Amino acid sequence: TIVVTTPISLFFPMAVGKLLDVATTADPIITPVTVAGALLVVFGLQGLMMTTRDGMLTVAGERMAARLRRQTFEAVLRQDMSFFDETRTGELLNRLASDTSVIQKAITNNVTSALKSAGMVVGCTAMLIYTSPKLALVSVLVLPPGGIVAVYMGRFMKRKQSEVQDALAKTSQQAEEVITSMKTVRQFAREANEAARYGGMMAETRQLATSVGIANTLLGTGIHVAANISLACVLGYGGTLVVAGEMTAGGLTS
C-alpha cells in the first residue's frame, strides 16, 4: 500500500500548484472544479489504502509479538540451570513483556515509517528537480546540517532507550524479589526500606526515560526548524524566479 499512498501524497502539492495555475488562466478544458474533483477521487483511494495498511500492520504486529514471546519463552526453558541461577526471574518476565513490545513496534510502525519517509525523500527530490533544478540545489544545500543532527540524536536515543529497558528490568527484578519474600520482609519490618529502595530505582528509571523524551523533543524541534529554514530559502529564491518569469506561481507553490 505504501507504493500507492506515497505517490498520492507526492501528487497533492503538484495538484495544488496546477489548481493555482488553472485559476489564474482561462483554460476551458481543465477547470478548478475538474482538478478538485480528481483530488477527491484520489484522496478517497488514499484513505482506503491507508486503512488497509494500518489494519494489516495491526494484525501482523500482534502475530509477531505473540510468536516472539512464545519463541523467547521456549528459548528460556531450554537454558541450563546455571542460567536461572545467574538471571533473576523479574528480569526474564520484563523481557517477555516489555522488550517484545518494543521489538513489535520497531518491526511494524518504525519500518513502515522508514520506508514511507525514504519514498517521500526520493519522490520529493525528483519532483523538485523536475520543477526547478535551481530550487532543488538550494534545498540540497540547506538540508544536510539538519540530517547530521538527526542521525546523531537518533543514535543517542537508541542508546538511552536500551538503558531504560535495562533499568525497567532491574526494577521488575527487585519487585519480584520483595514480593516472593514478603514473609521475611514482614518478619524483619523492612517494608519501608524496600519501598525506599524501589522508589530510588524508579527515580533512576524516570530520569533515563525523561532524557529520552527530551532528546526526542529536541530531535523533532530540530527537524521542524530545518524544514522551515529550507522552506524559507526555497520560497525566497523561488519568488525571484517567478518574478523573472522562469517558473509559474503554481510551480513554486507545489
Side-chain angles (χ1 to χ4, degrees), residues 58-117:
T58 300
V59 175
E62 294 301 329
R63 288 180 177 178
M64 289 180 182
R67 187 182 304 114
L68 182 60
R69 287 189 176 97
R70 184 182 69 251
Q71 293 176 351
T72 303
F73 184 71
E74 292 174 353
V76 170
L77 295 180
R78 291 193 296 267
Q79 301 301 315
D80 296 333
M81 292 306 299
S82 58
F83 172 79
F84 297 97
D85 294 334
E86 298 173 357
T87 308
R88 304 299 181 118
T89 304
E91 181 178 356
L92 294 176
L93 294 176
N94 185 77
R95 299 304 181 186
L96 285 173
S98 301
D99 289 8
T100 50
S101 298
V102 174
I103 296 175
Q104 173 191 357
K105 182 178 179 181
I107 294 176
T108 56
N109 297 339
N110 292 351
V111 171
T112 304
S113 298
L115 292 176
K116 180 180 178 181
S117 299

Side-chain angles (χ1 to χ4, degrees), residues 131-242:
T131 303
S132 175
K134 294 181 179 179
L135 285 181
L137 179 60
V138 172
S139 298
V140 170
L141 292 177
V142 174
L143 289 179
I148 294 175
V149 175
V151 171
Y152 174 78
M153 294 299 295
R155 292 177 179 177
F156 173 80
M157 290 174 58
K158 181 179 179 180
R159 184 174 65 255
K160 286 296 182 180
Q161 187 62 48
S162 177
E163 295 178 0
V164 170
Q165 291 301 121
D166 292 339
L168 287 174
K170 291 180 180 179
T171 56
S172 298
Q173 167 188 328
Q174 173 64 19
E176 187 265 342
E177 289 179 355
V178 174
I179 294 174
T180 55
S181 306
M182 195 60 203
K183 290 183 179 181
T184 304
V185 174
R186 182 65 56 80
Q187 182 179 359
F188 290 94
R190 299 285 298 178
E191 293 91 342
N193 300 83
E194 295 298 338
R197 182 181 177 187
Y198 184 80
M201 296 178 68
M202 284 303 303
E204 295 178 0
T205 303
R206 177 182 57 80
Q207 291 178 356
L208 290 174
T210 301
S211 66
V212 174
I214 293 175
N216 189 30
T217 301
L218 293 176
L219 176 61
T221 303
I223 294 176
H224 180 73
V225 171
N228 286 338
I229 292 175
S230 177
L231 178 61
C233 294
V234 169
L235 289 177
Y237 185 68
T240 61
L241 295 180
V242 173

Side-chain angles (χ1 to χ4, degrees), residues 25-71:
T25 58
D27 192 333
I29 300 177
I30 303 178
T31 63
V33 176
T34 303
V35 177
L39 285 177
L40 289 177
V41 175
V42 171
F43 290 156
L45 176 61
Q46 184 185 33
L48 178 62
M49 298 301 293
M50 291 179 64
T51 301
T52 303
R53 180 194 65 193
D54 293 341
M56 294 174 61
L57 283 176
T58 300
V59 175
E62 294 301 329
R63 288 180 177 178
M64 289 180 182
R67 187 182 304 114
L68 182 60
R69 287 189 176 97
R70 184 182 69 251
Q71 293 176 351

